[in-house]
Amino acid sequence: MLTSELAILWIHIFAGVIALIAGIGALVTTKGGHRHRLSGRVYVGAMGVVVGTVFPLLVFDPAPNRIFLTLVAIFSGYFAFSGYRVLSRKRSSDTVGRIDWIAALLVVGACLFLGGWGAGFLLGGDSFGTVMVVFGAIGLLVGFSDLREFRNPDQRGPWMIEHLGRMMGAYIATVTAVSVVNFSDISPVVSWLWPTVIGVPLIWYWFRKYGDMGPLARIYPVK
């Protein structure tokens, strides 16, 4: 029998698969081209469904595992949302919307809770707390950085770099979710963190290629 919870779960999974495929499309197509923009819109829309469905799933079963997944969904959803919103603020005269403030404050609150929860796990001897602390710290860093930038628009970085970094961060989280669900035989810490270990150098590569910025640019500057 198809219950409401199961139906929402299937929608959640289907949207996650669409996000995974569309994200690949955005990565491999020419940046700024029609296919890239189309793939990006599909990816952001699918991530919106992923985040939107995680809340009713939490209501159906407020177990600790679903609470954690909800916090991670907020984390990844904010990366996709903020990466898309960067495109609406390309010009120095473009202003920050109220929705940007609300989203940044929400991710800061969620990641404070996530990091604190992870610290409690670590104090109790559970190594999985490392994953929670890492995700919480990244989310806090990004959220506070955005709030500072919103207050001081002069500190705004190159829009292309911000867009690439955020969308890649969101995609890393999408791959992480797939890894956790499908690679249950390996260490939980490994299954949660390997996409970050691989994805971050890719972000540095694109930072160097499109903005001559980041750690790789200092080692191998664009000529």
Side-chain angles (χ1 to χ4, degrees):
M1 179 178 178
L2 184 64
T3 64
S4 297
E5 181 181 5
L6 186 58
I8 295 173
L9 178 60
W10 276 111
I11 293 172
H12 179 83
I13 293 172
F14 179 73
V17 172
I18 294 298
L20 188 67
I21 296 172
I24 294 175
L27 288 174
V28 301
T29 51
T30 303
K31 304 300 178 284
H34 173 72
R35 293 179 181 177
H36 175 79
R37 295 197 302 271
L38 178 60
S39 297
R41 291 191 187 101
V42 172
Y43 175 73
V44 172
M47 286 300 296
V49 175
V50 168
V51 176
T53 51
V54 79
F55 293 104
L57 289 174
L58 178 62
V59 173
F60 280 116
D61 183 12
N65 183 56
R66 285 200 177 178
I67 295 174
F68 173 69
L69 291 176
T70 299
L71 294 171
V72 173
I74 293 173
F75 166 91
S76 57
Y78 180 74
F79 268 76
F81 170 80
S82 61
Y84 185 75
R85 287 289 296 172
V86 164
L87 300 179
S88 67
R89 301 195 304 272
K90 291 182 181 181
R91 297 168 298 185
S92 58
S93 59
D94 293 333
T95 58
V96 176
R98 181 179 298 178
I99 192 171
D100 297 303
W101 283 95
I102 293 173
L105 290 170
L106 179 62
V107 79
V108 165
C111 288
L112 274 173
F113 185 83
L114 181 61
W117 194 7
F121 270 58
L122 288 174
L123 290 174
D126 191 336
S127 61
F128 188 71
T130 303
V131 174
M132 302 167 75
V133 170
V134 168
F135 274 83
I138 294 173
L140 282 174
L141 180 64
V142 171
F144 278 124
S145 175
D146 283 351
L147 291 172
R148 184 174 63 252
E149 181 184 295
F150 294 166
R151 293 185 61 185
N152 301 283
D154 292 340
Q155 297 181 3
R156 185 182 304 170
W159 70 266
M160 173 65 85
I161 296 301
E162 287 196 34
H163 173 68
L164 286 171
R166 299 305 174 84
M167 299 306 283
M168 272 298 298
Y171 193 69
I172 288 171
T174 304
V175 175
T176 299
V178 174
S179 169
V180 171
V181 171
N182 293 282
F183 302 150
S184 57
D185 293 335
I186 64 176
S187 165
V189 173
V190 174
S191 64
W192 275 97
L193 293 184
W194 75 261
T196 299
V197 172
I198 294 176
V200 168
L202 287 176
I203 294 176
W204 291 346
Y205 166 76
W206 275 306
F207 278 10
R208 172 186 175 271
K209 181 176 180 179
Y210 290 102
D212 198 19
M213 299 176 64
L216 293 183
R218 290 192 289 269
I219 301 173
Y220 305 106
V222 176
K223 297 180 180 179

